[in-house]
Structure formats: structure tokens, C-alpha cells
Amino acid sequence: MREKKPFLILSFSSTTQAMAVEKFCGERQLPGRLIPVPKEITAGCGLAWKAQPEQEETLTRALEEAGIRWQEKRVLDLWN
Amino acid sequence: MIYLDNAATTRRKPPQVIDAVVNAMTTMGNAARGAHSSSLEASRALYDARCKLAKLLGCPQPDHVIFTANSTEALNIAINGTLNPGDHVISTDLEHNSVLRPLYRLEEAGTISLDFVPADRLGNIDYAGFERLIRPETRAIVCTHGSNLTGTLVDLKRVGEICRRNSLLFIVDASQTAGAVPVHMEEMGVDILCFTGHKGLMGPQGTGGLCVRPGVEIRPWKVGGSGVHSYDRSQPQDYPTRLEAGTLNSHGIMGLSAALDFIQEVGVEEIARHEAALTRRFYDGVSRIDGVTVYGDFSQPERGAIVTLNIRDYDSAEMSDALSQAYDIATRPGAHCAPRMHQALGTVDQGAVRFSFAWYNTQEEVDAAIQAVAELAQR
């Protein structure tokens, strides 16, 4: 059984929103990557942003300052 | 061939457009259909194309750039998705059937009432005509940015101000102008800007879209697969997904995206300057030829790259065929899907021969076309 550990997950209401986050984070070297949305999140588009929980403040503050939205923020136990 | 039918489609594309389509067809998955690298690459590329279009056309948000197959589809979405029973709509005599037929259909169904700002014999409209036609139930002005018959440009900023003053929705058909002359929907006060990808934008056929001002609500006319919110019974409401049911033409859009890079590199102003110079050269050449009638107002400082003419009372179809057969020059005769403008110009019976220019045309081609018209006029 693969080990699970907590991750910060941001879900999005549209793929375009997910693309905006990925582009923004890539340009500013902010942590994380796109993954298929975990089953625990029933709303949202098929994509989610996965990052380390300790990176939450850095990440969300930067996105908020840029006016980039996400739908839901959760910490979930996922495969490493 | 000397291709002078660019108002129908620009035949010659930047080489990187073809390369981009081939690359997309060999590498790209379906956007918004997973998180594997092929799907993500498609999603990224589409988002990138939305960003480029938003920048080029002055759309405030990239997620409000919606892809369609062409302008006609975009205009049908805009017109049918915003107008309600009892609405009154104002349009103009300059319109293409892509605007006229969706409006006529709603009028014939008894859904809307419709009025047109008339064009004069030069193809110009009186802007005061819009305000004269406004009544309490007027909901929208739908008009073209540029006539596909005479090249006449509509002052969108002026019409946009009329719309703002009277709280009207402003829907624009930019089929003839996007990529060829500067367009900025926000500065021009446009609510919905419909465009095609295969004319001035120099992308593949089967690409187009609409830019929607944030806050404007459009009902989707088609619903279905979106790749997201699969358990919802209704179409997701977020733009662009709301209006993009089904797999997009991502391969074509990648070609369009490469064309947008090319346009950005050259500059829309430079493209407009080049096309205006060719148009003026052709106009100056043919307007001096005995027996030639040129339609439209060439005293306008800014206009589309179109010169439409007739020789005496010759059938425009025969003229165009002679240009094709004897000179290998491609033009467009007939009615050009612009029935009201032909009525205004008095050319319904004869039609007219349209010469339309684009970035890749040259002065030499223009001079050869002038010579061909001169020879045909001597017959």
C-alpha cells in the first residue's frame, strides 16, 4: 500500500481557471502541480492544484493578490 | 494565382500556422478531459490562445473568450442567447447574412421586432439614425465593424456610446476586421464581439469565437459534454465552458494561436497600413478606367481592404470568371451574402466584383489586377 500524506488541494470551477493558476504559479515559481481532482471533492472541474500544506499561505496570498480565483481549498490525504 | 478574395478567407497563411496544426494533430489530447500530459498540453494551449485573443481584441478576461467554429456560430450564440420575447433590435444595412438571418428568424417567429439604419448610395450610415430608432423596448444594437461588400468601417466607439447612454446591449460582427484593423472591445464599448479565425486573423477555417464583456449573460444554445461537472444535469455556468459544449477544434485553434503570434510580431497597425496602401493603389488605378464603377466611399480615412466594382453593365459573374480564366485572378462576384447593402448600392441585378486584399498581397499583384480590369473594360 502506498503511503499517504496530507496535501493542500485547490479545486476550480473551470479548466480555464485551473490554467490561469498553473500559468501564474509557473511564472512566479510558486509550488505545486495540476492533478486529476480527488474523489473527495465532488464539485469543480476535473483538475486540482496539489501543493504541500505548509505552502498554503504563500500560494493563496499570491493568488488572492493577483485576483485569481479557486473554488474550494482542502487538505486531503493523498499518495505522495 | 493572384488571390484577391481575402474577405472570404485569407488563402495564404503564415507557415507557422500550418506547422502548429500539424504539431497539434500529432501530439495533442483533448482539453479538459483529464490530467495526463496530452490533455493538459491541450488545455494549456487553449488557455494561451484565449489570452492572446483577449489581448489582441481588448477583452477584459481570457475566460470570457469563447471558441466557436466561425463568426456565424458566434453570432447565432450571441443573438439567440441574449434576446428575449418583446425585444426590439436595431441593425444596419451593412450586415452580412450571418447577422441578418438570425435576426430575421427571430422576427418571423414573433420574438423580436427589428429596424435597420439605412445605408446611402455610398454605403455610409447616418449615426443619428440609431438614436432615432430607439424606443422603450429596444434591447440591443447588432452591427458589423466593417462591410464585407464596400469595406466601409462602422465607428464602433460612437455606436458603443449610444448603447451606453441608452443601456443597450452592443453585439458586433468583427469578421472583416479582427486582425486587419485595431479592435479593442472594452474601449469601443462592445458587449459581445464575434470574430472568425480564418480571415484577417490568418488562422485555419473552422475557428472563431466571441469575446464577452464580464457581466453579460448568454444562454447556451447547445449543451453537452464539457469534461467537467459530469454529474450536473445542466451545462456548467462558468464561461467559457457554458458556451463550449463538445470537443473544441483544438487543432485548428493551435493554428490560430500561431497566427496570433505572427500578427503580434508584425503588428496590427502595420498590417492595416500595408492593406490600406494596396487598397488605395488599386482604387486609384481602377477608378480612372473608363466604364468602371467603384462602390463605397473612398474619402473615409479608415476602411477595410476591399474594392468592389463593376464594368459598365457586364454581369459580375462573367467578369469574375474572365478574371479567373484569362488572368488567374481570384475575386468574388454576385451578392456576397450582403443583400441589404446591394439594395442600397443599387447592384441587386448586376451583382458586383469584389477585390479584397490581405497581408501577403503585393503591389505587383495589385498592378496586374488593375491591368486586367483595364483590358476587360476595353472589350
Side-chain angles (χ1 to χ4, degrees):
Chain A
M1 192 71 177
R2 288 178 69 173
E3 187 189 347
K4 290 195 173 190
K5 57 175 269 194
F7 283 96
L8 173 71
I9 299 296
L10 300 180
S11 67
F12 309 104
S13 61
S14 70
T15 307
T16 308
Q17 210 174 59
M19 290 301 117
V21 167
E22 186 190 50
K23 187 176 183 193
F24 178 80
C25 291
E27 285 167 356
R28 283 160 184 75
Q29 297 182 319
L30 290 165
R33 70 177 179 92
L34 286 173
I35 61 165
V37 69
K39 64 179 172 52
E40 288 85 349
I41 297 175
T42 53
C45 76
L47 298 172
W49 190 256
K50 178 184 179 186
Q52 303 293 336
E54 56 270 25
Q55 294 161 333
E56 176 179 344
E57 196 186 337
T58 312
L59 190 61
T60 55
R61 195 185 332 120
L63 291 171
E64 279 170 351
E65 283 172 6
I68 296 175
R69 297 171 300 143
W70 64 88
Q71 189 174 41
E72 195 179 340
K73 183 176 69 178
R74 298 268 295 273
V75 175
L76 297 173
D77 285 336
L78 300 172
W79 283 346
N80 194 2
Chain B
M1 175 191 280
I2 298 176
Y3 184 84
L4 300 178
D5 195 17
N6 293 284
T9 193
T10 46
R11 196 182 70 140
R12 188 169 165 198
K13 314 291 186 186
Q16 53 266 53
V17 172
I18 291 98
D19 293 344
V21 174
V22 171
N23 183 54
M25 291 189 76
T26 49
T27 63
M28 193 174 273
N30 197 344
R33 303 309 196 262
H36 55 79
S37 60
S38 286
S39 175
L40 281 179
E41 275 308 313
S43 296
R44 288 176 188 127
L46 286 180
Y47 181 69
D48 201 33
R50 292 185 210 279
C51 291
K52 291 174 194 172
L53 282 162
K55 186 177 175 192
L56 181 75
L57 301 175
C59 181
Q61 291 180 208
D63 62 358
H64 280 54
V65 176
I66 287 104
F67 288 116
T68 62
N70 46 49
S71 274
T72 294
E73 187 176 273
L75 285 159
N76 271 271
I77 290 170
I79 289 168
N80 291 293
T82 55
L83 299 178
N84 297 309
D87 285 346
H88 171 245
V89 177
I90 300 168
S91 189
T92 80
D93 276 352
L94 274 60
E95 308 310 317
H96 186 276
N97 274 336
S98 56
V99 167
L100 296 174
R101 285 178 173 160
L103 291 175
Y104 287 152
R105 187 168 68 165
L106 288 175
E107 184 189 39
E108 282 162 17
T111 308
I112 64 166
S113 54
L114 192 54
D115 277 305
F116 291 91
V117 176
D120 62 20
R121 294 285 284 193
L122 285 174
N124 291 325
I125 54 169
D126 173 12
Y127 290 86
F130 286 105
E131 301 210 67
R132 280 197 293 272
L133 291 170
I134 292 172
R135 45 194 218 219
E137 63 272 28
T138 303
R139 173 81 195 295
I141 292 177
V142 187
C143 81
T144 186
H145 187 195
S147 162
N148 71 313
L149 182 53
T150 58
T152 307
L153 291 187
V154 172
D155 185 344
L156 292 185
K157 202 166 181 181
R158 200 165 163 187
V159 183
E161 281 163 8
I162 294 169
C163 288
R164 290 287 84 76
R165 275 203 303 278
N166 294 280
S167 302
L168 305 181
L169 189 68
F170 189 21
I171 300 172
V172 170
D173 171 12
S175 301
Q176 292 297 331
T177 53
V181 298
V183 177
H184 196 290
M185 69 176 282
E186 200 173 19
E187 289 174 3
M188 291 167 160
V190 176
D191 292 307
I192 306 173
L193 186 89
C194 301
F195 63 91
T196 192
H198 69 99
K199 295 185 178 180
L201 290 175
M202 294 190 266
Q205 295 176 7
T207 62
L210 57 162
C211 299
V212 182
R213 183 177 62 75
V216 173
E217 301 297 332
I218 304 177
R219 297 181 296 273
W221 73 274
K222 62 175 179 176
V223 295
S226 59
V228 300
H229 303 279
S230 292
Y231 291 99
D232 291 355
R233 289 171 62 94
S234 56
Q235 187 72 9
Q237 286 303 294
D238 280 352
Y239 291 126
T241 315
R242 186 197 297 195
L243 302 175
E244 288 183 346
T247 294
L248 289 173
N249 176 15
S250 301
H251 298 148
I253 295 167
M254 289 312 95
L256 175 61
S257 189
L260 292 166
D261 289 337
F262 177 81
I263 290 168
Q264 176 76 23
E265 196 180 308
V266 176
V268 176
E269 288 78 7
E270 178 61 18
I271 292 170
R273 188 203 58 71
H274 175 72
E275 293 184 3
L278 294 179
T279 306
R280 176 53 64 177
R281 187 179 182 92
F282 184 73
Y283 171 76
D284 288 345
V286 295
S287 59
R288 291 195 202 99
I289 299 169
D290 187 39
V292 169
T293 304
V294 178
Y295 302 98
D297 182 0
F298 282 78
S299 68
Q300 289 181 329
E302 291 178 349
R303 58 191 334 287
I306 291 171
V307 179
T308 296
L309 57 81
N310 273 319
I311 299 178
R312 300 192 178 87
D313 59 351
Y314 298 169
D315 180 351
S316 65
E318 287 193 84
M319 262 279 294
S320 183
D321 188 49
L323 285 163
S324 174
Q325 293 299 307
Y327 301 95
D328 203 17
I329 297 173
T331 59
R332 172 89 185 272
H336 313 90
C337 302
R340 298 185 73 94
M341 193 62 153
H342 273 286
Q343 283 161 359
L345 300 175
T347 48
V348 170
D349 290 338
Q350 190 177 5
V353 184
R354 182 182 69 187
F355 296 74
S356 50
F357 307 94
W359 172 251
Y360 283 112
N361 287 127
T362 63
Q363 283 190 5
E364 291 71 28
E365 289 178 325
V366 167
D367 292 346
I370 295 167
Q371 182 62 29
V373 172
E375 289 176 17
L376 288 171
Q378 286 171 357
R379 290 186 185 183

